[in-house]
Amino acid sequence: MENKIRILIIDDHPLFRKGVSQIISDEPNFEVVGEAASGLDGIELAVQLAPDLVLLDLNMKGIDGLETLRRLKQTDLKSRYVVLTVSDAEEDLLEALKSGADGYLLKDMEPEDLRSNLVKAALGVTVLQDSLTEVLTKALIEPDTKTTAADVNLTDRETEILDCLAEGMNNKNIARKLGISDTTVKVHIKNILRKLNLTSRLEAAVWRHQNR
């Protein structure tokens, strides 16, 4: 990559921030541009620095990670947001995805796995800790409610886009593959989520994997 991926870390544990910063710095394509010890400081820094990627913890004093994420999503920032936490609780995972997280990783993952997942996240791929995929699938889909794209009246184009989401593609790549504009892709994704009664791209991707 010619341009470095600029990363902001929001976590209220100084030692953890330092450790993650060190792990990230071992990847030449990454640059840690800022660290914040609270959600409010993190939001302020994010607005100032406009990082490519924001890593945030869920459990912080003051406003927690979910509220921080919701407020960040209300800004005009084009950053991608990855939750990095100790919690593998189903409700935390689902709430983070509904709040707009682009990824959900656990703090105990191997350094090389963390780096590779952050590269993917920066490129527009939604990242999820392997051990959590089953948790998310169980939470979203009951075996006896299996449906197909036809059941929810998805158009052929929406089904194509859903397949692209299932492959982890971002809007730009989907637009290029299908020969349509980014804006058109966004409209289709909005319609897909409405029809499936889901709130995030990742939920839609999991739905597609389960309902082929």
Side-chain angles (χ1 to χ4, degrees):
M1 295 178 195
E2 289 180 15
N3 297 322
K4 289 197 173 189
I5 298 165
R6 302 169 68 255
I7 299 177
L8 169 65
I9 303 169
I10 306 175
D11 194 296
D12 61 356
H13 293 95
L15 282 176
F16 183 74
R17 287 200 310 273
K18 187 175 180 182
V20 171
S21 184
Q22 183 60 55
I23 289 170
I24 290 171
S25 299
D26 287 343
E27 165 60 59
N29 293 320
F30 291 146
E31 180 186 3
V32 177
V33 292
E35 295 181 21
S38 72
L40 289 176
D41 287 349
I43 294 166
E44 194 176 319
L45 263 184
V47 171
Q48 281 175 21
L49 299 170
D52 301 305
L53 206 56
V54 176
L55 292 186
L56 71 161
D57 188 17
L58 285 185
N59 304 308
M60 296 187 287
K61 298 182 184 76
I63 65 168
D64 65 13
L66 288 173
E67 181 58 27
T68 302
L69 175 59
R70 290 185 196 109
R71 294 190 191 185
L72 283 166
K73 293 294 285 188
Q74 288 169 359
T75 68
D76 293 328
L77 291 169
K78 303 288 187 236
S79 310
R80 291 182 59 79
Y81 304 99
V82 175
V83 171
L84 186 59
T85 183
V86 295
S87 173
D88 59 0
E90 177 186 302
E91 59 269 25
D92 286 339
L93 169 61
L94 292 177
E95 204 52 50
L97 296 176
K98 286 174 183 171
S99 300
D102 297 297
Y104 194 103
L105 304 172
L106 299 180
K107 286 183 173 181
D108 62 359
M109 72 189 313
E110 295 294 329
E112 58 269 28
D113 291 338
L114 176 60
R115 286 193 291 267
S116 66
N117 272 291
L118 294 185
V119 169
K120 287 180 194 170
L123 292 173
V125 177
T126 302
V127 292
L128 184 67
Q129 184 104 2
D130 288 345
S131 60
L132 294 175
T133 308
E134 193 177 337
V135 173
L136 181 61
T137 304
K138 278 183 182 171
L140 291 176
I141 293 114
E142 296 297 331
D144 57 353
T145 58
K146 188 154 182 170
T147 53
T148 65
D151 292 334
V152 288
N153 296 317
L154 292 184
T155 64
D156 290 344
R157 177 64 89 196
E158 286 166 352
T159 303
E160 282 181 314
I161 289 174
L162 188 54
D163 285 337
C164 292
L165 289 179
E167 291 170 23
M169 293 172 69
N170 62 16
N171 288 4
K172 196 172 286 184
N173 290 337
I174 295 172
R176 195 177 298 132
K177 178 178 178 179
L178 300 180
I180 56 179
S181 71
D182 285 14
T183 308
T184 304
V185 172
K186 284 179 187 172
V187 171
H188 281 307
I189 290 174
K190 194 174 176 183
N191 289 336
I192 291 167
L193 294 178
R194 179 179 52 77
K195 287 181 179 180
L196 297 179
N197 197 26
L198 300 173
T199 55
S200 74
R201 301 164 67 96
L202 184 53
E203 289 177 314
V206 172
W207 184 94
R208 187 57 174 156
H209 282 300
Q210 293 301 117
N211 294 283
R212 286 188 183 279

